[in-house]
Each structure stands twice: as structure tokens, then as C-alpha cells.
Amino acid sequence: MPKNMSLTKNEMPVQAPDVRNKNFSEVALGYTEEQAIDEANRCLNCNNKPCVTGCPVQIDIPAFIAEVAQGNFEEAYKIITKSSSLPAVCGRVCPQETQCESKCVRGIKGEPVAIGRLERYVADRHNALAETTSEKPASNGHKAAVIGSGPSGLACAGDLAKKGYDVTVFEALHVAGGVLSYGIPEFRLPKSIVQKEIEGLKALGVKVETNTVIGKSVSIDELMKEEGFETVFIGSGAGLPRFMKIPGENLNGVYSANEFLTRINLMKAYKPDSTTPINAGTKAVVVGGGNVAMDAARCAKRLGADVTIVYRRTENELPARAEEVEHAKEEGINFRFLTNPVEITATEKGWVKGIVCQQMELSEPDASGRAKPVPIEGAFSEIEADCVIMSIGTSPNPLIKSTTSGLDTQKWGGIIADENGLTSREGVYAGGDAVTGAATVILAMGAGKKAAAAMDEYMQNK
């Protein structure tokens, strides 16, 4: 039996809402050692390990939690990193509530064990205190290229490096980390943590080349034919923003969420001395209901705007994590549900003046069980705004497809790959958002790990 039979998790210490909505410091402050051990003692240590079935990278969750309960934090870290290359990241941004924690037996009659919070604590403690670095494995004499330094690429690179491959990661931007660096705000994922995780991979021998646009700087064909890479993983993500194609989207003051977040996260536009400042206006409207929409809205709030999120379905259908929605509400973000933009209006000088929306209602559920939003005839309203941020999804950049021979893609741009990541091109694998479209960090990591195993098997049989 567990030592702690509480039906509720240890609360995560956080900044007060009226304080944090004015700064970009991390919202969640992390468990203390006492809280971590107490939470770990809620675990039943089930023999059949149901929580592991919910983890895309198959961390031995009961084993690492058992070590935490005994205060053996470094042993816990070793168990986690057998499966995960980015524990400090995953402990912060993975949707544990729909994955590992959703399978936790303690969740049947109460709250599940706070698996993500414990993973974060273990990783943070290791990063703060550990003096040893990863030992570089012996080389197996083979070269592998990884395109993109986001979660799928880093997971793939880490697993290949551990097997002795000479791995080079190619990143288009000037900072490694992909969506972890440009997409997720500092207050949810400090960039120092991302870079710390990347330094750990470099210690394994992984090389990272930034400012390299595959398809422009060099092609996959050239990597394989001229530079000696025997196998390639494409983890280039889905960074091409989508728009609604409504009147006014080309006005000054309209941003894609990608541009807005990149300028804030990567270019530090929120700092007073920034050379690339960004204007969120005084009244900002964010269109969309996913995690990216929450991130954009919370950033705009911190820049001083009064922020409203408009979403065409109800709150029950919001795709964002419940925790992110709760934090947004606490910080003063307004929500308008069953509301769909149809036009962005302009001032005489060509700036955003407002956004005209149509009121929606939900139809009866279709065959899939999901209700469809349908317009209510004649029901329109205008929301005053001087900034509009579009967060309605992204798709893969077509550059790699257009410059790589024999690479098949979906009509919407995603690379076609089997369950192990193999594409239509021999020796070329793909995973993460480049294949599935925008998804979660941990699912992308799982795809990167599967591809690394398949690439290794391909090289052994080659």
C-alpha cells in the first residue's frame, strides 16, 4: 500500500495570477523535495504498469517514482533518460492528463499521481546538481543526418548517438530547439532548460548546425550522395501558418500565432531593450482554441493588451489543455465561444479596427460523435481590436518535398511514412508534425524514437 492515501495531488506552487500576467518568468515553480517524496508515496506501484501504456516513449514510470519515494533522485533520472531525451521539457509541456496520468489507478477514485510534476522535479534536480556529463559512446562508423531540432529530431538524434552513430542535426533557425525554442513561451518552458537538454545531447556527440535550410542551403539528395550521410530523419515540424482567408487578414496588426510567438520567444520582443519589438496593441483578439492560442493570448496579456479569445465551438470542445485554459482565465483572458470571425475591419490608415464575428450554434453530433458549428443567420457582432492573432493551425513547409526526389506526401503537405517512420525514399525516415501535422511534444518524441530504432535496423541490414 502507498504511504500517502490522499485522493488529491500535491498542489504545484505557482506565481500569483495578478503577478505572473505582467512578467515572462515561469508560472509553475516546481515541487520541493518534501512535496516530491510525498507525491511519489501516492503511487501504488502496480504490477501491470498501466501508466506506461499511456506514455508515447514508454518510460518505466513506477520504477522512477519508486526511486523518488526513497529519495534516490539520480537513480530516478537514470530510469527516465533510458527512454526520454528531454525529461525537463516533457515534465512541463506534455499533456499527462490525457496520457500517462489518464491510466493511473489512483485516478479512479481521486486524482492520479502527478507523474509530470515528478518527472520535472527529477530532471530539474539533476540539471542543477549533477556534476557528471554523459559519456560519448564508441563510434560505429556510420553517419546519420537529422533535419530539424524540435522534439522529434532531438529524440531521434539522441537515440542514434547512444548507438554510436555520427549524428548531425540541421536547424533552419539560428537557435536549436525547434518549436521548443520558438513556439512555447518562456513562462511555460524557460529556454535555458531547452538549451540544457540540447547540451546533454551534444555531450553524446550530436553535432548541431544552425542557419541551415534543407532544400536551400543543401538538399537531402546532396546530404546522402555528396556528404556521406547513410540515413536521414526528417523532423522539420509543421511551421507554415494557416489563415481563414477572410477580408482584412492582410491589414497591419494581423499576425499568425507562429510569427507572434517566434518574435517573442526567439527574438525576445517582450524585453524593453529589444531591437525587434512587437506591438500587441491595447485590445487583442486571438482566433483559435488550442494550446498555441492560449500561449499567444497569455503573451499578449503580458505585453499589456486586453485579450479576448474567440472560438467557434463551446468551452467543452476546446482542444487546449485544461491547465492552460485555467491559467489563461486566472490571468484575465476573456473568452467568446460559439463565435466565428468573418471579417477584419480597418482604420483609415490601414490598421486593424475590429473583427466582425458571426454567432454559431452546434448541430447534432455527426457519425463521429462530434457536433459541427453552424452559423446563426443574421447574428453578427463586432469586437473592437487593434491586434488580431490567427491561431487556427499549421502545415508542413513544402520546401523539403519540392527539393527531394522520390519523397511522397499527403495532399495537405504531410510526409507519408509508415509506423516506423520509413518514407517512400530508401534510407529516409520522417516523424512528428512533418508527418502528422501539429500534435504534442511527446508524440513527436515517440515518433523520433521509433524512427531511430528503424534507422538502426536498416543500417545493420544494409
Side-chain angles (χ1 to χ4, degrees):
M1 291 290 292
K3 295 180 181 179
N4 180 359
M5 290 303 297
S6 172
L7 295 179
T8 59
K9 300 175 181 178
N10 278 266
E11 287 291 328
M12 171 65 87
V14 297
Q15 287 193 70
D18 60 345
V19 173
R20 69 183 191 235
N21 66 5
K22 300 176 183 65
N23 69 66
F24 279 81
S25 299
E26 191 168 15
V27 169
L29 304 177
Y31 277 168
T32 63
E33 180 177 325
E34 182 182 20
Q35 287 175 314
I37 292 174
D38 188 55
E39 184 63 30
N41 276 308
R42 294 184 64 232
C43 180
L44 296 172
N45 207 3
C46 306
N47 289 331
N48 60 349
K49 304 180 180 182
C51 52
V52 178
T53 67
C55 177
V57 297
Q58 299 290 285
I59 294 171
D60 191 342
I61 294 167
F64 101 72
I65 291 180
E67 296 295 346
V68 174
Q70 297 297 317
N72 301 326
F73 304 112
E74 197 58 26
E75 286 303 312
Y77 181 80
K78 290 176 182 176
I79 292 170
I80 295 171
T81 52
K82 285 179 182 177
S83 303
S84 174
S85 302
L86 307 170
V89 170
C90 293
R92 286 170 163 80
V93 302
C94 286
Q96 291 94 4
E97 66 276 8
T98 60
Q99 294 178 340
C100 55
E101 292 183 14
S102 72
K103 309 292 184 182
C104 178
V105 175
R106 289 302 305 267
I108 296 174
K109 293 185 178 180
E111 290 185 333
V113 175
I115 299 169
R117 296 173 185 176
L118 292 175
E119 181 182 15
R120 167 186 165 150
Y121 177 81
V122 168
D124 285 356
R125 185 184 179 97
H126 168 84
N127 289 340
L129 301 176
E131 297 179 1
T132 57
T133 58
S134 301
E135 187 173 330
K136 183 178 178 181
S139 174
N140 65 13
H142 296 290
K143 290 180 67 177
V146 173
I147 299 170
S149 65
S152 65
L154 294 178
C156 182
D159 278 18
L160 288 174
K162 290 174 184 176
K163 296 178 185 294
Y165 286 87
D166 179 359
V167 184
T168 301
V169 177
F170 296 95
E171 168 56 47
L173 297 175
H174 63 285
V175 174
V179 69
L180 304 175
S181 291
Y182 74 76
I184 303 176
E186 184 81 10
F187 55 78
R188 278 216 297 135
L189 179 62
K191 302 311 154 214
S192 60
I193 288 171
V194 177
Q195 295 310 310
K196 183 80 173 180
E197 301 280 43
I198 291 172
E199 289 303 315
L201 294 179
K202 288 181 178 178
L204 291 172
V206 176
K207 305 180 190 71
V208 179
E209 292 194 15
T210 56
N211 299 309
T212 305
V213 181
I214 301 300
K216 286 290 186 181
S217 306
V218 63
S219 69
I220 289 177
D221 293 344
E222 290 169 336
L223 289 176
M224 300 186 81
K225 292 177 181 178
E226 300 175 16
E227 299 198 20
F229 289 99
E230 300 159 89
T231 183
V232 175
F233 175 74
I234 304 171
S236 50
L240 188 64
R242 295 175 184 164
F243 287 88
M244 295 185 69
K245 299 179 180 178
I246 60 175
E249 281 187 311
N250 62 342
L251 292 172
N252 293 321
V254 178
Y255 302 94
S256 70
N258 266 33
E259 178 192 355
F260 188 76
L261 291 172
T262 298
R263 289 177 63 178
I264 289 173
N265 299 329
L266 205 60
M267 302 168 75
K268 309 302 180 188
Y270 62 88
K271 291 187 174 181
D273 59 349
S274 173
T275 57
T276 56
I278 194 166
N279 180 20
T282 58
K283 294 184 178 181
V285 171
V286 178
V287 181
N291 288 327
V292 175
M294 301 303 138
D295 287 343
R298 295 171 70 192
C299 283
K301 181 71 175 180
R302 284 160 170 75
L303 292 174
D306 179 38
V307 185
T308 300
I309 290 175
V310 298
Y311 181 59
R312 62 180 185 157
R313 290 185 166 89
T314 73
E315 183 171 1
N316 292 333
E317 287 80 39
L318 277 173
R321 294 182 68 186
E323 180 181 86
E324 301 308 319
V325 176
E326 180 184 352
H327 281 174
K329 287 181 176 180
E330 290 174 348
E331 291 168 10
I333 307 297
N334 306 303
F335 285 81
R336 292 273 294 266
F337 297 108
L338 292 170
T339 303
N340 193 47
V342 293
E343 180 184 1
I344 302 171
T345 59
T347 66
E348 291 182 358
K349 295 184 178 181
W351 286 81
V352 171
K353 177 184 178 184
I355 184 164
V356 178
C357 299
Q358 183 160 35
Q359 192 68 25
M360 311 293 283
E361 61 184 355
L362 293 184
S363 67
E364 291 298 317
D366 59 20
S368 69
R370 194 178 194 199
K372 181 180 180 181
V374 293
I376 299 175
E377 187 175 350
F380 296 93
S381 61
E382 183 169 358
I383 302 173
E384 185 180 350
D386 48 11
C387 172
V388 173
I389 303 166
M390 289 292 179
S391 181
I392 58 170
T394 56
S395 58
N397 192 307
L399 182 60
I400 288 178
K401 156 65 178 174
S402 65
T403 58
T404 305
S405 57
L407 188 66
D408 293 342
T409 59
Q410 307 277 4
K411 288 183 179 180
W412 53 270
I415 298 169
I416 296 174
D418 69 12
E419 61 180 11
N420 294 314
L422 179 62
T423 70
S424 55
R425 172 78 181 270
E426 182 183 354
V428 177
Y429 295 76
D433 293 1
V435 172
T436 62
T440 64
V441 167
I442 194 67
L443 287 174
M445 287 178 61
K449 288 180 68 66
K450 276 189 176 181
M455 293 162 77
D456 181 48
E457 183 177 357
Y458 165 74
M459 291 303 301
Q460 289 185 44
N461 295 331
K462 186 176 177 182

